[in-house]
């Protein structure tokens, strides 16, 4: 019972994810607007309707004469604001909180449209932040309305020369799930399309609204109330509520509704199904159905039905499962090969499993974990082989009727040790993740982390990081690994993957060869698809340029509050040390590195560079100005800009001021951060000495602005 319940909840979660507040916007679940496509995409499940004994309580549906159906004549075009090509929409502040359940862009978009802004421009800007807005004419006047899914599902339309709100559905109060446009189609053939909007509440509860423009407003076409004892579909205040799912079991929304002509009268009816659900303490497998029919004026409940017997459970498992993988021969014993080669061990294990050998026998020779990781009822076997010089890890899974090595881990022969940090459904999507740590190199000074999970088709890598060459990779490499663990850092119920390192021990030569370095903490947070790398956290800075680098790293990763604090520290702190290449040489010389270690070298105590602090402080102020723009605070940005000009005029920070002026001048015209950044980069690029000071000349653990001047203003 509980196993069946868990599986159904998993399917519910997958299909309702489109209605939840995630980095992936809910509007992506919308169906195409073309009538033919919508009709075909929804009419996929037509079970036989068996009328319940109580269905006679519903009044008979009036017969609709198609010849007498009213057809709406087009309305006069609505009056919209006069177009203004100079209108700009700053959206950075709307999307500044990366952890927010949703990003409410309603006021920003409405103000922009009423300023004469081009709707196409704001659609493009929203798309850059993962939100898919659109335009459709639902009022039949030739003027397209603006559909905005931003937590709230909102429709703006023109009236009396201004955009006003035609519809505004908030996210659910507790689960923060958004409404989703499921269908837009002229079902009643009156010339105006109906909108079917769904909204999941939980994995087994949903709401539906059926709306149509009546000439002045979006009117709700469903009855005010409807309920019948025992039926898991009811209507309250013209909103349809469902408890449970349909027999299709596709989640709280998809699969529960259908549009089809149930009585062959030429009009499309709306069929709502629910009632199939399971809970730990009770269960119901009887599907309830109500049919909403058009009576010429509105939709009425035409039929109510309920299954008398449960629909049989599907006999097929989620994945093909062959008897070859299920046959077991208890008398068969495993004999490890004498050849230490991992390739030979893999083949021997595969032959043993496919001959019916019991996986438990492998535990006598290898570190073995046996668990079903893809819900096909055939267990996977995770094996760590240590017979050769370097340990290796393999995952054997039943695919196409035979056990095979999935090759999920690219064993490079460099591992000194391999451990499974955890094997658990940490991200709560129904499939366990395998968290693997491998340590290698001389004295265990390097390593890597891997997360593997079934993605519906294969076992896939689930880390998203940036490799040393700047490419996106599906794992993370560890340098000087100190620790690796799982911990819920933000109390959201899902643990983050964390590793610390990058700092050699002080007795090791590399500590001084690459001085100065700090302990780094790398965090990977589940984003709905991968464990994505977050901005690296370093130990508190010792030198001023390190505080600047911390601020830039935070700002680039969207951690704006942390960025502002780091910049403020770089500007104000009297405890941060100054840095020059001469100081580095002086410090590392006694340990045998740099020019001061050469025989006969004369290295007097170095002196601070008088240019360093004003340049770093001015640059930190420039970056604070950028953060205020990114967080939609133009007044504070201008204030910071003026402080930069007044505080650092006549100092060695002249190139920074010139860069800031170039940026600010362009931004006043274009209101485009990306274009303004390009101008700023062009301004500072020739200033090699300034870029070297920003980089912490001679340092290794930080940002190399000389090689990558675009890092001074990397925002798009």
């Amino acid at each position: 019972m509980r196993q069946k319940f868990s599986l159904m909840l998993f399917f519910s979660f997958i299909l309702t994810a489109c209605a939840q507040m995630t980095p992936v916007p809910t509007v992506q679940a919308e169906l195409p607007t073309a009538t033919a496509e919508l009709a075909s995409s929804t009419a996929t499940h037509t079970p036989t309707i068996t009328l319940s004994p109580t269905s006679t309580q519903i009044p008979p549906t009036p017969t609709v004469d198609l010849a007498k159906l009213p057809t709406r004549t087009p309305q006069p075009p609505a009056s919209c604001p006069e177009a203004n090509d100079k209108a700009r929409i700053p959206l950075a502040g709307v999307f500044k909180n990366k952890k927010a359940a949703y990003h409410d862009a309603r006021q920003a978009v409405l103000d922009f449209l009423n300023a004469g802004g081009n709707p196409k421009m704001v659609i493009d800007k929203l798309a850059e932040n993962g939100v898919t807005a659109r335009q459709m004419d639902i009022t039949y006047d030739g003027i397209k309305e603006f559909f905005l899914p931003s937590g709230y599902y909102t429709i703006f339309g023109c009236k009396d020369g201004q955009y006003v709100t035609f519809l505004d559905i908030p996210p659910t109060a507790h689960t923060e799930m958004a409404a989703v446009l499921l269908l837009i189609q002229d079902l009643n053939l009156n010339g105006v399309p109906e909108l079917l909007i769904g909204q999941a509440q939980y994995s087994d509860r949903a709401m539906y609204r059926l709306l149509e423009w009546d000439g002045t407003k979006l009117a709700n076409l469903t009855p005010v109330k409807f309920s019948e004892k025992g039926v898991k579909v009811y209507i309250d205040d013209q909103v349809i509520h469902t408890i449970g799912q349909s027999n299709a079991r596709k989640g709280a929304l998809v699969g529960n509704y259908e549009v089809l002509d149930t009585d062959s009268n030429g009009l499309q009816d709306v069929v709502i199904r629910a009632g199939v659900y399971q809970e730990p303490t009770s269960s119901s497998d009887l599907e309830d159905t109500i049919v909403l029919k058009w009576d010429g004026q509105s939709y009425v409940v035409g039929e109510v039905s309920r299954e008398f017997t449960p629909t049989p459970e599907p006999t097929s498992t989620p994945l093909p499962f062959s008897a070859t993988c299920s046959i077991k021969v208890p008398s068969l014993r495993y004999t490890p090969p004498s050849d230490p080669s991992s390739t030979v061990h893999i083949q021997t294990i595969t032959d043993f499993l496919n001959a019916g050998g019991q996986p438990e026998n492998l535990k006598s020779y290898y570190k073995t974990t046996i668990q079903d990781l893809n819900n096909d009822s055939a267990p996977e076997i995770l094996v760590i082989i240590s017979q050769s010089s370097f340990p290796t890890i393999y995952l054997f899974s039943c695919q196409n009727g035979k056990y095979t090595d999935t090759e999920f881990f690219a064993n490079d022969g460099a591992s000194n040790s391999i451990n499974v940090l955890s094997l658990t459904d940490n991200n709560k999507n129904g499939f366990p993740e395998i968290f693997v740590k491998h340590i290698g190199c001389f004295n265990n000074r390097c390593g890597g982390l891997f997360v593997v999970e079934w993605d519906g088709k294969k076992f896939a890598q689930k880390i998203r990081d940036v490799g040393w060459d700047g490419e996106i990779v599906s794992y993370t490499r560890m340098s000087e690994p100190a620790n690796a663990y799982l911990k819920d850092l933000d109390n959201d119920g899902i643990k983050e993957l964390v590793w610390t390192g990058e700092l050699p021990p002080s007795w090791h030569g590399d500590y001084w060869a690459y001085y100065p370095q700090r302990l780094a903490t790398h965090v990977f947070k589940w984003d709905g698809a991968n464990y994505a790398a977050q901005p690296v956290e370093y130990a508190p800075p010792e030198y001023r340029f390190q505080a600047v680098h911390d601020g830039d790293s935070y700002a680039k990763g969207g951690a704006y509050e942390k960025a502002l604090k780091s910049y403020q520290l770089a500007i104000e702190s009297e405890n941060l040390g100054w840095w020059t290449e001469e100081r580095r040489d002086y410090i590392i010389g006694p340990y045998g590195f740099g020019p001061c270690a050469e025989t006969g070298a004369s290295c007097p105590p170095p002196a601070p560079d008088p240019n360093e602090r004003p340049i770093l402080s001015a640059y930190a102020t420039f970056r604070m100005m950028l953060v205020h723009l990114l967080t939609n605070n133009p007044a504070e940005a201008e204030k910071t800009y003026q402080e930069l000009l007044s505080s650092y005029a006549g100092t060695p920070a002249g190139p920074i001021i010139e860069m800031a002026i170039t940026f600010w001048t362009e931004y006043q015209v274009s209101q485009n951060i990306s274009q303004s950044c390009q101008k700023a980069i062009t301004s500072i690029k020739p200033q090699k000495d300034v870029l070297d000071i920003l980089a912490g000349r001679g340092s290794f653990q930080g940002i190399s602005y000389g090689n990558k001047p675009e890092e001074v203003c990397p925002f798009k």
Side-chain angles (χ1 to χ4, degrees):
M1 172 68 181
R2 290 184 181 272
Q3 182 180 6
K4 182 180 176 186
F5 171 62
S6 299
L7 185 60
M8 191 176 77
L9 279 186
F10 164 69
F11 289 137
S12 300
F13 174 82
I14 293 296
L15 269 298
T16 57
C18 62
Q20 298 186 34
M21 301 298 92
T22 66
V24 181
T26 57
V27 74
Q28 292 181 354
E30 295 182 11
L31 302 177
T33 56
T35 300
E37 291 184 40
L38 285 166
S40 64
S41 66
T42 56
T44 58
H45 172 63
T46 313
T48 301
I49 295 179
T50 304
L51 293 180
S52 67
T54 58
S55 62
T56 54
Q57 298 174 5
I58 307 300
T61 306
T63 302
V64 177
D65 186 350
L66 292 180
K68 296 182 179 179
L69 279 176
T71 301
R72 303 271 179 91
T73 56
Q75 297 187 71
S79 173
C80 292
E82 184 177 349
N84 177 10
D85 293 338
K86 294 183 179 181
R88 296 291 182 268
I89 177 166
L91 287 173
V94 174
F95 296 94
K96 65 180 180 180
N97 184 354
K98 302 298 184 182
K99 296 183 179 181
Y102 57 86
H103 300 91
D104 187 355
R106 292 176 300 163
Q107 193 60 52
V109 171
L110 183 60
D111 291 345
F112 173 76
L113 294 174
N114 280 327
N118 187 336
K120 178 65 168 59
M121 178 186 293
V122 73
I123 288 174
D124 292 342
K125 286 288 186 182
L126 288 166
E128 292 175 4
N129 291 281
V131 175
T132 307
R134 61 173 61 184
Q135 289 182 282
M136 291 177 279
D137 182 12
I138 59 171
T139 57
Y140 204 42
D141 65 349
I143 303 297
K144 293 181 179 180
E145 281 65 52
F146 193 95
F147 287 63
L148 175 64
S150 59
Y152 291 73
Y153 199 89
T154 308
I155 301 176
F156 297 127
C158 293
K159 183 177 181 180
D160 300 329
Q162 292 287 304
Y163 275 93
V164 297
T165 302
F166 286 169
L167 180 71
D168 197 34
I169 302 175
T172 52
H174 301 295
T175 55
E176 294 186 325
M177 296 184 181
V180 179
L181 179 61
L182 300 171
L183 182 90
I184 177 167
Q185 184 178 342
D186 185 9
L187 306 175
N188 54 18
L189 302 183
N190 68 350
V192 180
E194 288 100 300
L195 279 66
L196 179 63
I197 296 177
Q199 188 169 18
Q201 292 180 288
Y202 302 97
S203 61
D204 63 347
R205 292 175 184 250
M207 301 179 290
Y208 298 86
R209 295 170 172 86
L210 187 59
L211 310 171
E212 184 184 75
W213 186 255
D214 68 0
T216 59
K217 66 182 183 303
L218 275 172
N220 200 320
L221 301 181
T222 55
V224 175
K225 286 188 178 297
F226 164 78
S227 63
E228 185 173 316
K229 185 177 181 180
V231 176
K232 300 300 183 182
V233 184
Y234 65 94
I235 302 174
D236 183 43
D237 196 21
Q238 295 190 292
V239 176
I240 307 165
H241 296 261
T242 61
I243 303 173
Q245 304 176 42
S246 69
N247 282 322
R249 301 200 180 192
K250 295 182 178 179
L253 292 179
V254 182
N256 287 15
Y257 74 95
E258 192 171 3
V259 173
L260 68 160
D261 186 356
T262 61
D263 52 9
S264 301
N265 70 347
L267 299 181
Q268 298 294 302
D269 307 317
V270 179
V271 180
I272 303 292
R273 298 185 174 92
V276 180
Y277 64 96
Q278 294 184 338
E279 297 176 354
T281 57
S282 63
S283 67
S284 170
D285 290 313
L286 298 178
E287 181 181 85
D288 298 332
T289 301
I290 71 168
V291 181
L292 297 174
K293 297 175 177 286
W294 182 252
D295 70 355
Q297 300 295 325
S298 63
Y299 280 90
V300 298
V301 178
E303 295 175 6
V304 180
S305 64
R306 189 176 193 186
E307 292 179 328
F308 286 105
T309 59
T311 299
E313 286 292 313
T315 56
S316 60
T317 55
L319 294 172
F321 180 58
S322 166
T324 306
C325 293
S326 62
I327 291 176
K328 293 291 179 280
V329 182
S331 60
L332 189 62
R333 290 290 177 264
Y334 179 75
T335 302
S338 57
D339 189 330
S341 166
S342 294
T343 303
V344 176
H345 281 265
I346 294 170
Q347 188 61 54
T348 305
I349 292 172
T350 303
D351 292 343
F352 171 75
L353 293 173
N354 286 325
Q358 298 192 39
E360 290 79 6
N361 288 342
L362 299 174
K363 293 184 177 181
S364 298
Y365 307 97
Y366 313 106
K367 188 174 182 180
T368 304
T369 303
I370 304 167
Q371 185 173 336
D372 182 7
L373 303 177
N374 57 7
N375 297 336
D376 68 347
S377 76
E380 275 64 47
I381 298 94
L382 188 68
V383 177
I384 297 177
I385 301 175
S386 303
Q387 266 70 11
S388 60
S389 300
F390 300 102
T392 50
I393 185 168
Y394 300 94
L395 179 66
F396 299 91
S397 179
C398 182
Q399 304 291 320
N400 300 318
K402 288 184 177 296
Y403 272 105
T404 183
D405 171 26
T406 61
E407 299 182 350
F408 81 90
F409 179 73
N411 292 282
D412 56 10
S415 296
N416 298 333
S417 67
I418 291 181
N419 293 295
V420 176
L421 282 177
S422 180
L423 203 166
T424 182
D425 184 13
N426 182 59
N427 58 18
K428 307 184 189 308
N429 67 355
F431 293 118
E433 302 103 289
I434 310 169
F435 295 87
V436 176
K437 176 183 75 172
H438 91 91
I439 300 296
C441 301
F442 183 70
N443 283 340
N444 295 329
R445 297 185 58 207
C446 67
L449 293 175
F450 300 81
V451 180
V452 177
E453 184 185 54
W454 181 256
D455 68 359
K457 297 181 180 179
K458 64 184 184 304
F459 285 97
Q461 303 282 358
K462 289 294 181 177
I463 284 180
R464 184 176 176 83
D465 197 6
V466 179
W468 293 335
D469 57 359
E471 296 295 322
I472 301 298
V473 294
S474 58
Y475 55 88
T476 183
R477 293 191 183 277
M478 298 189 291
S479 172
E480 304 290 347
N483 200 0
Y485 53 90
L486 288 162
K487 184 176 182 180
D488 188 358
L489 301 175
D490 52 10
N491 298 314
D492 66 350
I494 298 178
K495 295 179 180 179
E496 281 69 50
L497 177 62
V498 183
W499 74 268
T500 59
E502 291 192 31
L503 183 65
S506 59
W507 53 262
H508 198 285
D510 281 356
Y511 180 89
W512 302 105
Y514 300 101
Y515 183 86
Q517 300 174 81
R518 294 181 286 162
L519 183 69
T521 299
H522 295 255
V523 176
F524 297 83
K525 180 175 176 58
W526 180 251
D527 65 3
N530 295 285
Y531 285 89
Q534 306 300 298
V536 180
E537 298 267 359
Y538 287 100
E542 181 180 357
Y543 299 102
R544 196 171 308 278
F545 80 90
Q546 293 174 327
V548 169
H549 290 194
D550 289 347
D552 283 3
S553 177
Y554 289 137
K556 192 172 182 179
Y560 299 123
E561 289 300 322
K562 288 184 177 180
L564 290 174
K565 290 179 180 178
S566 291
Y567 292 138
Q568 204 69 43
L569 181 68
I571 295 169
E572 298 178 353
S573 176
E574 299 299 332
N575 296 320
L576 291 174
W578 53 269
W579 181 257
T580 64
E581 194 166 12
E582 291 75 19
R583 184 173 193 177
R584 177 178 182 274
D585 293 339
Y586 187 80
I587 291 173
I588 67 177
Y591 300 94
F593 295 95
C596 292
E598 296 176 4
T599 302
S602 176
C603 291
D609 179 354
N611 295 337
E612 186 207 23
R613 182 163 185 178
I615 287 175
L616 290 175
S617 297
Y619 174 75
T621 307
F622 166 73
R623 291 298 298 254
M624 290 177 71
M625 177 193 77
L626 294 183
V627 169
H628 291 314
L629 290 177
L630 290 168
T631 55
N632 197 28
N633 194 345
E636 195 64 30
E638 183 169 7
K639 178 183 175 183
T640 306
Y641 172 68
Q642 297 298 336
E643 288 177 358
L644 171 62
L645 299 184
S646 61
S647 299
Y648 299 99
T651 73
I656 302 295
I657 293 177
E658 182 179 344
M659 175 178 66
I661 292 173
T662 302
F663 175 94
W664 190 260
T665 301
E666 170 62 28
Y667 188 76
Q668 299 314 298
V669 176
S670 66
Q671 295 290 296
N672 185 297
I673 287 183
S674 179
Q675 292 181 27
S676 305
C677 275
Q678 290 305 310
K679 294 288 183 71
I681 294 166
T682 301
S683 169
I684 201 67
K685 195 171 184 178
Q687 305 292 334
K688 299 297 184 183
D689 288 342
V690 172
L691 293 173
D692 282 347
I693 287 175
L694 295 182
R697 189 174 313 191
S699 67
F700 290 89
Q701 190 186 49
I703 302 172
S704 177
Y705 299 93
N707 295 327
K708 295 182 178 180
E710 64 273 12
E711 291 296 326
V712 302
C713 198
F715 306 108
K716 304 297 183 183

